[in-house]
């Protein structure tokens, strides 16, 4: 969060309501700052302010560690004569009275605005040659009363200032008159006028209508309503939590925390490499930064200002020889974003028929499926409830590691050429997705299409399992026979499983046939109703080698037939980096710890087709 000391010149003082009108950002606001690339002049464009709410807190010298530091609230931010101005209303509580007396006496005259930079543009002053940064889009977070200002001539001069009589006659609560300055409320001669004033107060404070209704029902006066509204504004939990967080984690929220900067830089670089990736709003400021510039910014944020003088080649040399460099982490984080996006987009439909899990090591995993306990037996009067056992199935498979390596040359890094890196990261994500889909598809094509050999000695699809068709062409009659076979499956204990098929998996050659069969049509008679329309999801897998075979799968949450697993500490593909020594560049490796196996035959059915 940036802090800007600005000239403040209230034009109206309302002593009764403790309201002043101040200039938050002047017309020619120029502040000298020291940045990563050296000194520069910062200009806040008043027209670029973004307001997220009706009001912002007024703090005591940017303190946000307790509600006691809140002096009041600022509202009605607007542009007048090229300046950003606001109404500042100080709290009527006892702890703020001393501050208010100093404001009236002219001892406290300076204001400082706390803001977030959203967008800026750099230029050069043609007269002095200085670098000028114009903040074209920014957000006000708070306004503070401070002891010192950047401009020595900035002061609140209220001596002799009085409110014009015509202004005093106008109510401050009336929105239509807010542009004319701060005014006193008119005497509440009638209850109707008082009620209108209360509703206006509640609306301007952004409180619920029920607050106004409650005050009106209690026949509160305007003074009582003002006190109640201000108390609720100060006690609102959401603004207080946001301000407290900015104070405690001020570095991270402002983007000066190197770890936060690194994450945002990686997000911005990923959007350059992958146009489909939309960076977060906080990362947009780094969209134009090159790789060497990002590393220089990170070094400076970690307390090394000499890094700003390094050339691009010097940045690479230093990153390659110093262990404190953020360069490998930046590249790794960026590459992971692009790789995982491509990995998710390229995911095969066959994964949806299998159950996902994790394994803690590379030893063979045994998946044990307990059977049912059989039907409950009738117990005679005074008889004994007998015990029973549960049958079980167990199948095993293990994880394996798959990987590739790639190098990004020194020239590509210095030239900020991310094309090759983007191509590799995208290709790595697609390769990981293809590896997973191929291993799952090979389970179905193993043993000439009969599937893996199970613990019983029979293959996954076998006549003994009741899940292998006789070889019928794909049509509604064949689907009906397959569904019936799955319905009649029994568990290890002998009870009917009543399994419902959810997905129809076909090779590419049967895609059109499957779509035709499952298409919803308007039948001309009951006999022509398509009973499978909307009941099965078509999944097409080009890796299936049998052009006529098709499969039915149940929901893996109900009856999993296939299961795939990742190493518990590394789900999905992982990218790592290492600075090269024999070769000038950075090496990357992508690896995937993945395994898949068949764990039960009841949730799947295969027909070899005609």
């Amino acid at each position: 969060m940036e802090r800007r000391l600005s000239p403040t010149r209230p034009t109206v003082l309302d002593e009764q309501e403790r309201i002043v009108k101040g200039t938050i950002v002047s017309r020619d606001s120029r502040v000298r700052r020291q940045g990563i690339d050296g000194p520069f002049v910062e200009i806040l464009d008043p027209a670029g302010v973004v307001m997220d709410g009706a009001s912002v807190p007024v703090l005591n010298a940017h303190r946000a560690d307790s509600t006691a530091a809140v002096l009041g609230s600022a509202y009605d931010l607007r542009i007048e004569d090229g300046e950003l101005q606001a109404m500042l209303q100080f709290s009527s509580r006892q702890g703020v009275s001393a501050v208010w007396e100093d404001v009236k006496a002219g001892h406290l005259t300076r204001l400082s605005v706390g803001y977030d930079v959203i967008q800026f543009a750099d230029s050069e002053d043609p007269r002095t040659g200085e670098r000028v940064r114009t903040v074209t889009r920014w957000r006000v977070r708070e306004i503070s009363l401070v002891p010192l200002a950047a401009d020595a001539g900035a002061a609140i001069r209220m001596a002799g200032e009085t409110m014009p009589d015509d202004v005093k006659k106008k109510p401050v609560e009336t929105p239509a008159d807010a542009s004319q300055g701060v005014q006193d409320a008119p005497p509440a001669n009638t209850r109707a006028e008082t009620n209108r004033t209360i509703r206006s107060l509640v609306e301007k404070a952004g409180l619920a209508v029920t607050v106004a209704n409650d005050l009106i029902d209690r026949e509160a006066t305007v003074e009582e309503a003002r006190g109640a509204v201000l108390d609720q504004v100060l006690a609102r939990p959401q603004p207080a939590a946001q301000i407290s967080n900015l104070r405690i984690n001020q570095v991270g929220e402002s983007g000066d925390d190197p770890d936060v900067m690194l994450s945002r830089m990686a997000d911005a670089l990923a959007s350059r490499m992958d146009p489909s990736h939309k960076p977060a709003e906080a990362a947009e400021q780094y969209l134009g930064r090159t790789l060497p510039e990002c590393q220089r910014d990170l070094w400076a944020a970690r307390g090394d200002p000499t890094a700003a003088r390094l050339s691009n080649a010097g940045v690479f040399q230093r990153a390659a020889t110093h262990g404190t460099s953020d360069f490998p982490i930046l590249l790794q984080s960026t590459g992971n974003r692009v790789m995982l996006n491509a990995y998710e987009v390229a995911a095969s439909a066959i994964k949806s028929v299998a159950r996902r899990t994790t394994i803690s090591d590379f030893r063979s995993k045994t998946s044990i499926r307990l059977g049912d306990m059989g039907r409950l037996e009738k117990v005679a009067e005074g008889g004994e409830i007998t015990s029973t056992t549960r049958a079980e199935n167990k199948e095993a498979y293990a994880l394996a590691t798959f990987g590739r390596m790639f190098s990004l040359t020194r020239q590509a890094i210095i030239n900020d050429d991310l094309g090759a890196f983007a191509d590799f990261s995208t290709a790595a994500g697609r390769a990981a997705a293809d590896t997973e889909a191929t291993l799952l598809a090979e389970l179905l094509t193993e043993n000439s299409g009969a599937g893996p050999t199970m613990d019983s000695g029979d293959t996954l699809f076998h006549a003994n399992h009741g899940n292998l068709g006789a070889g019928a062409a794909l049509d509604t009659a064949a689907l009906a026979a397959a569904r019936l076979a799955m319905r009649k499956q029994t568990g290890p204990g002998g009870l009917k499983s009543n399994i419902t098929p959810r997905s129809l998996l076909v090779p590419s050659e049967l895609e059109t046939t499957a779509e035709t069969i499952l298409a919803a049509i308007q039948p001309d008679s009951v006999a022509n109703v398509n009973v499978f329309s909307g009941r099965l999801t078509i999944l097409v897998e080009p890796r299936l080698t049998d052009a006529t075979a098709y499969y039915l799968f149940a929901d893996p949450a109900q009856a999993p037939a296939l299961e795939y697993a990742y190493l518990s500490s590394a789900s999905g593909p992982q990218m790592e980096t290492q600075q090269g020594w024999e070769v000038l560049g950075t090496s990357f490796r992508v690896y995937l710890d993945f395994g898949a196996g068949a764990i039960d035959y009841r949730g799947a059915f295969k027909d070899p087709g005609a």
Side-chain angles (χ1 to χ4, degrees):
M1 185 174 68
E2 298 289 347
R3 291 172 176 173
R4 172 67 67 89
L5 299 177
S6 63
T8 306
R9 189 171 52 85
T11 57
V12 176
L13 170 63
D14 187 332
E15 183 172 353
Q16 181 180 359
E17 305 302 331
R18 294 187 174 183
I19 299 175
V20 296
K21 182 178 181 181
T23 299
I24 309 306
V25 178
S26 66
R27 186 185 303 104
D28 299 318
S29 174
R30 299 171 67 89
V31 175
R32 294 188 178 277
R33 295 196 181 279
Q34 180 67 36
I36 298 172
D37 298 327
F40 65 94
V41 175
E42 186 183 58
I43 300 176
L44 272 182
D45 182 4
V49 65
V50 176
M51 283 295 296
D52 291 333
S55 64
V56 295
V58 175
L59 303 182
N60 183 358
H62 296 294
R63 287 186 54 198
D65 51 356
S66 71
T67 55
V70 180
L71 302 177
S73 59
Y75 62 93
D76 195 22
L77 269 73
R78 61 177 59 195
I79 306 297
E80 291 186 7
D81 298 328
E83 297 179 335
L84 178 63
Q85 299 184 359
M87 298 294 184
L88 311 177
Q89 183 169 20
F90 290 83
S91 171
S92 60
R93 73 178 188 268
Q94 183 176 2
V96 184
S97 297
V99 175
W100 174 246
E101 291 300 323
D102 283 341
V103 170
K104 290 194 302 176
H107 301 309
L108 295 177
T109 62
R110 312 290 183 167
L111 292 179
S112 173
V113 58
Y115 59 98
D116 291 332
V117 176
I118 301 176
Q119 190 173 13
F120 64 86
D122 285 343
S123 60
E124 183 176 305
D125 191 325
R127 297 174 302 170
T128 63
E130 291 181 305
R131 185 161 60 97
V132 178
R133 173 163 297 177
T134 303
V135 181
T136 57
R137 193 161 178 257
W138 53 285
R139 178 181 292 107
V140 176
R141 300 306 296 270
E142 51 88 6
I143 297 172
S144 288
L145 192 65
V146 295
L148 296 175
D151 186 353
I156 299 177
R157 296 180 176 87
M158 294 183 290
E161 288 193 17
T162 59
M163 295 180 61
D165 293 336
D166 59 337
V167 174
K168 289 184 179 181
K169 296 177 182 178
K170 298 179 182 179
V172 65
E173 293 80 17
T174 306
D177 298 329
S179 62
Q180 304 301 322
V182 180
Q183 307 90 11
D184 285 335
N189 297 325
T190 65
R191 188 67 226 176
E193 293 176 352
T194 300
N195 292 348
R196 283 195 297 270
T197 302
I198 291 175
R199 293 193 183 279
S200 178
L201 279 171
V202 171
E203 181 181 358
K204 290 174 73 67
L207 300 177
V209 179
T210 55
V211 176
N213 295 339
D214 180 67
L215 291 170
I216 292 172
D217 291 342
R218 292 194 281 113
E219 296 187 353
T221 65
V222 173
E223 292 302 320
E224 292 172 342
R226 284 197 180 99
V229 168
L230 185 56
D231 288 342
Q232 291 210 29
V233 169
L234 295 178
R236 274 191 292 208
Q238 182 177 356
Q242 292 175 347
I243 296 169
S244 176
N245 185 53
L246 281 174
R247 179 67 179 180
I248 297 172
N249 300 317
Q250 180 182 343
V251 175
E253 289 296 330
S254 67
D256 293 333
D257 185 337
D259 293 332
V260 174
M261 292 174 58
L262 193 149
S263 178
R264 292 175 179 176
M265 289 173 179
D267 197 20
L269 290 173
S271 68
R272 290 177 52 195
M273 295 165 57
D274 181 4
S276 65
H277 176 73
K278 181 174 177 56
E281 183 177 347
E284 292 178 354
Q285 58 184 309
Y286 299 109
L287 288 176
R289 307 295 281 176
T290 65
L291 278 171
E293 287 174 340
C294 287
Q295 178 59 78
R296 279 195 290 263
D297 293 350
L298 290 169
W299 273 326
R302 296 192 186 279
D304 186 0
T306 61
R309 299 192 296 269
L310 291 175
S311 64
N312 289 356
V315 169
F316 174 81
Q317 180 67 23
R318 182 170 178 177
T321 56
H322 289 71
T324 58
S325 170
D326 295 292
F327 210 75
I329 301 176
L330 178 62
L331 288 174
Q332 178 177 316
S333 182
T334 303
N336 265 314
R337 281 173 165 82
V338 177
M339 177 184 67
L340 292 177
N341 184 55
Y343 166 75
E344 293 172 357
V345 171
S348 173
I350 196 173
K351 288 179 67 176
S352 64
V353 304
R355 183 175 69 181
R356 172 176 172 160
T357 186
T358 58
I359 301 177
S360 60
D361 52 43
F362 291 89
R363 290 176 293 185
S364 180
K365 179 199 175 184
T366 300
S367 178
I368 299 177
R369 181 175 174 83
L370 294 176
D372 48 71
M373 59 185 298
R375 287 187 292 273
L376 299 179
E377 295 182 352
K378 182 178 180 180
V379 180
E381 183 178 356
E384 181 184 355
I385 298 178
T386 59
S387 61
T388 184
T389 59
R390 299 181 66 183
E392 65 180 35
N393 288 341
K394 58 181 185 297
E395 306 297 337
Y397 66 95
L399 294 177
T401 301
F402 309 86
R404 284 283 190 179
M405 290 189 65
F406 172 77
S407 294
L408 189 63
T409 65
R410 170 176 176 265
Q411 288 82 356
I413 295 175
I414 293 175
N415 295 337
D416 192 44
D417 182 7
L418 297 178
F421 188 34
D423 291 343
F424 168 74
S425 300
T426 302
R430 292 174 179 170
D434 181 77
T435 300
E436 295 176 355
T438 299
L439 291 175
L440 286 168
E442 287 176 350
L443 293 175
L444 302 181
T445 60
E446 192 175 335
N447 289 324
S448 301
T453 301
M454 310 293 284
D455 186 62
S456 63
D458 296 324
T459 54
L460 173 62
F461 302 107
H462 197 278
N464 293 342
H465 292 160
N467 66 348
L468 183 62
L474 179 59
D475 54 25
T476 55
L479 291 178
R483 181 173 65 176
L484 178 62
M486 294 183 70
R487 290 281 193 188
K488 289 184 172 293
Q489 288 284 6
T490 59
L495 293 183
K496 294 295 184 183
S497 300
N498 194 26
I499 296 174
T500 304
R502 186 189 71 169
S503 303
L504 172 62
L505 180 66
V506 298
S508 302
E509 291 80 0
L510 292 180
E511 180 176 5
T512 303
T513 302
E515 291 177 340
T516 303
I517 294 173
L518 299 186
I521 60 175
Q522 189 67 31
D524 54 6
S525 65
V526 176
N528 293 331
V529 172
N530 184 0
V531 297
F532 289 101
S533 178
R535 297 181 180 271
L536 291 175
T537 300
I538 300 176
L539 304 177
V540 182
E541 180 48 72
R543 298 169 184 83
L544 296 176
T545 56
D546 192 338
T548 61
Y550 51 92
Y551 306 82
L552 285 181
F553 283 90
D555 187 336
Q558 178 197 17
L562 304 179
E563 183 177 86
Y564 66 92
Y566 300 102
L567 190 65
S568 56
S569 60
S571 295
Q574 308 294 314
M575 178 180 290
E576 295 180 346
T577 63
Q578 184 181 42
Q579 290 299 122
W581 181 255
E582 296 179 354
V583 178
L584 286 175
T586 303
S587 298
F588 303 85
R589 66 181 182 188
V590 174
Y591 62 90
L592 173 70
D593 298 318
F594 183 81
I599 60 174
D600 195 6
Y601 62 84
R602 295 169 180 83
F605 183 94
K606 175 187 178 179
D607 195 304

